[in-house]
C-alpha cells in the first residue's frame, strides 16, 4: 500500500466509522482503477471529460468562430435563480422553507466565477444550503487547488450545509469539505425539524461515474408519507428516486450543456436522460425535480447561451 493511500485512509478514519469500511474501500478502489478512464466506466460509453485534448479542441473551435471572449465572460457571471415548489404533503410549519442550491463549482477551472460567488451568496437568506457535487476541476489528480479556490465560497455560506460528491470528486476530499462546514452525505439521511414537524433530506454518493449511489439505503430510514428530498449529483437516477417515494430531487452535473445553441438548446449533456431534465425545474410522476446549470464550468471556463447559477428553492404547501 502506498504512503499516500495509507495517509488518505487515516484522514478518512472518522468517515469509515460513520459509513463503513466497505463503501470507502470501494470508492477508493474505483478511483485508483478508473478515475481517468475514457471508455466503459459510468453511465456513458465515452467520458468526454477524461479526454486530455478536449479543452484544447473546444478552445480552438470557439476562437475559430470568434466566440471565445464572449464565452469566457459569460462563465464569470453567476445568476441567482428562484424556484417555487408546491406540495400537498409538505408539513404546515415548513411552508416557506428555503434552500440555497449550489452545484458544480469546479474550483480550479472556474476561478473567475469563484471570485464573484462569495459576494453573491453572502447576503442571501435561506434555511439550509445544499451542495450537489463536483468541487474539483478535473476528474482525477490533485484537488488542493480546487479546495483552495472554493474555500471563500464555503465561508460565505450559512449553516447548516449538506453536500454530496460528484463524478469529479475524490472521497479523499471529504475531510476538507467537512472542515469547511459541509456535512457530506454518503447514501445517508438527515432529519430536519421545525417544531413538531419533520422533513427528510437524503444524499447519495456519485451515481454517474463511480456508481456507488444507493437510493434504497438512503430511503430506508424515511417513514412512509413523509416529505423527503434527495440530493444526487446526477439527475440520471430520477426514475428510482420517484419509485422510492421522494417528493423532490435536486441535482447538477449537466451544466445545462454549458455550450448551447441559441435558446439554450444543449449540444451535449454528458448524461443519459431526457433533455427536458437537463436543466431547470421538471416533474416525473409525483416527484418534482431541479437540475442546476452549476456555478462553475468543466474543461474550460466558457459558457454560451447557458448562464451559471445558484438557486433558491422555496417550499410551499398546496
Amino acid at each position: 500500500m502506498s504512503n499516500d493511500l495509507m495517509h488518505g485512509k487515516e484522514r478518512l478514519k472518522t468517515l469509515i466509522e460513520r459509513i463503513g469500511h466497505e463503501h470507502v474501500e470501494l470508492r477508493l478502489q474505483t478511483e485508483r482503477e478508473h478515475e481517468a478512464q475514457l471508455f466503459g466506466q459510468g453511465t456513458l460509453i465515452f467520458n468526454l471529460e477524461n479526454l486530455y485534448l478536449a479543452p484544447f479542441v473546444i478552445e480552438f473551435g470557439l476562437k475559430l468562430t470568434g466566440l471565445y471572449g464572449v464565452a469566457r465572460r459569460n462563465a464569470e457571471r453567476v445568476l441567482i435563480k428562484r424556484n417555487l415548489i408546491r406540495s400537498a404533503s409538505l408539513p404546515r410549519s415548513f411552508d416557506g422553507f428555503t434552500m440555497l442550491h449550489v452545484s458544480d463549482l469546479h474550483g480550479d477551472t472556474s476561478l473567475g466565477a469563484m471570485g464573484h460567488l462569495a459576494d453573491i451568496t453572502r447576503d442571501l437568506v435561506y434555511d439550509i444550503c445544499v451542495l450537489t457535487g463536483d468541487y474539483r476541476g478535473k476528474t482525477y489528480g490533485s484537488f488542493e487547488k480546487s479546495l483552495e479556490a472554493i474555500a471563500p465560497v464555503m465561508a460565505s455560506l450559512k449553516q447548516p450545509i449538506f453536500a454530496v460528491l460528484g463524478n469529479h470528486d475524490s472521497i479523499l476530499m471529504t475531510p476538507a469539505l467537512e472542515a469547511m462546514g459541509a456535512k457530506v452525505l454518503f447514501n445517508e439521511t438527515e432529519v430536519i425539524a421545525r417544531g413538531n414537524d419533520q422533513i427528510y433530506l437524503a444524499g447519495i454518493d456519485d451515481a454517474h461515474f463511480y456508481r456507488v449511489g444507493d437510493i434504497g439505503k438512503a430511503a430506508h430510514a424515511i417513514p412512509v408519507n413523509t416529505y423527503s428530498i434527495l440530493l444526487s449529483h446526477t439527475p440520471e437516477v430520477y426514475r428510482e428516486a420517484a419509485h422510492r417515494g421522494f417528493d423532490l430531487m435536486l441535482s447538477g452535473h449537466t451544466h445545462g450543456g454549458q455550450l448551447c445553441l441559441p435558446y439554450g438548446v444543449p449540444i451535449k449533456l454528458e448524461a443519459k436522460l431526457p433533455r427536458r431534465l437537463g436543466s431547470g425545474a421538471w416533474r416525473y410522476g409525483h416527484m418534482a425535480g431541479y437540475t442546476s446549470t452549476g456555478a462553475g464550468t468543466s474543461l474550460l471556463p466558457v459558457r454560451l447561451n447557458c448562464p451559471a447559477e445558484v438557486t433558491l428553492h422555496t417550499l410551499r404547501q398546496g
Side-chain angles (χ1 to χ4, degrees):
M1 184 183 296
S2 70
N3 287 335
D4 287 345
L5 185 56
M6 289 178 64
H7 293 153
K9 284 192 171 182
E10 183 62 30
R11 290 197 301 271
L12 293 174
K13 186 176 179 180
T14 302
L15 184 62
I16 290 170
E17 292 172 355
R18 196 178 95 209
I19 69 173
H21 180 271
E22 183 178 352
H23 185 109
V24 174
E25 184 57 43
L26 176 61
R27 189 60 142 81
L28 287 171
Q29 181 180 343
T30 308
E31 289 179 20
R32 291 195 300 271
E33 297 176 357
H34 300 290
E35 67 177 357
Q37 189 170 324
L38 273 174
F39 297 96
Q41 177 70 20
T43 61
L44 301 178
I45 296 173
F46 176 70
N47 300 297
L48 176 65
E49 293 173 312
N50 289 346
L51 181 63
Y52 177 74
L53 290 176
F56 303 101
V57 172
I58 294 169
E59 182 175 345
F60 176 77
L62 289 171
K63 286 181 175 178
L64 193 66
T65 57
L67 294 171
Y68 183 69
V70 173
R72 284 293 298 258
R73 291 191 292 274
N74 287 347
E76 295 188 4
R77 301 190 188 104
V78 183
L79 303 182
I80 300 169
K81 292 190 176 181
R82 297 178 186 273
N83 180 44
L84 182 65
I85 303 158
R86 292 191 178 275
S87 175
S89 61
L90 184 73
R92 182 178 298 276
S93 59
F94 281 89
D95 188 53
F97 187 83
T98 300
M99 299 174 287
L100 175 64
H101 179 193
V102 181
S103 194
D104 297 272
L105 293 171
H106 296 288
D108 56 337
T109 57
S110 310
L111 294 176
M114 295 304 99
H116 299 301
L117 193 54
D119 292 332
I120 293 171
T121 56
R122 185 170 289 112
D123 296 325
L124 296 178
V125 178
Y126 49 89
D127 295 289
I128 67 170
C129 178
V130 296
L131 308 174
T132 50
D134 275 7
Y135 313 99
R136 178 167 61 177
K138 291 185 177 181
T139 57
Y140 56 90
S142 64
F143 46 76
E144 285 76 12
K145 288 184 179 179
S146 288
L147 292 172
E148 182 180 337
I150 71 171
V153 177
M154 296 295 292
S156 75
L157 302 176
K158 300 176 182 66
Q159 298 285 338
I161 304 168
F162 301 99
V164 293
L165 297 185
N167 62 296
H168 280 242
D169 303 320
S170 167
I171 197 171
L172 295 172
M173 300 168 69
T174 305
L177 290 169
E178 296 203 325
M180 293 180 191
K183 172 71 177 292
V184 184
L185 301 176
F186 292 90
N187 308 320
E188 298 173 284
T189 302
E190 290 283 327
V191 180
I192 301 173
R194 273 189 165 185
N196 294 325
D197 291 328
Q198 297 176 334
I199 63 174
Y200 286 75
L201 177 73
I204 61 169
D205 200 355
D206 175 57
H208 173 76
F209 188 81
Y210 294 108
R211 295 191 289 185
V212 283
D214 189 337
I215 295 178
K217 182 178 179 181
H220 182 72
I222 301 174
V224 178
N225 298 325
T226 304
Y227 191 87
S228 58
I229 303 165
L230 178 66
L231 306 182
S232 168
H233 174 62
T234 177
E236 292 167 292
V237 294
Y238 66 97
R239 287 191 184 91
E240 185 181 356
H243 175 71
R244 293 288 183 176
F246 283 96
D247 297 278
L248 172 65
M249 185 170 84
L250 302 179
S251 301
H253 176 66
T254 67
H255 294 226
Q258 190 167 313
L259 297 174
C260 294
L261 300 174
Y263 305 105
V265 177
I267 298 170
K268 188 170 173 57
L269 286 173
E270 286 299 306
K272 191 175 181 180
L273 78 171
R275 289 204 160 202
R276 69 180 183 86
L277 276 63
S279 65
W282 48 266
R283 291 198 73 88
Y284 181 77
H286 73 277
M287 186 179 73
Y290 192 94
T291 306
S292 172
T293 61
T297 50
S298 181
L299 296 175
L300 278 175
V302 290
R303 280 185 178 270
L304 285 176
N305 303 309
C306 183
E309 69 173 84
V310 295
T311 315
L312 287 166
H313 302 286
T314 301
L315 305 181
R316 290 287 185 188
Q317 276 196 316

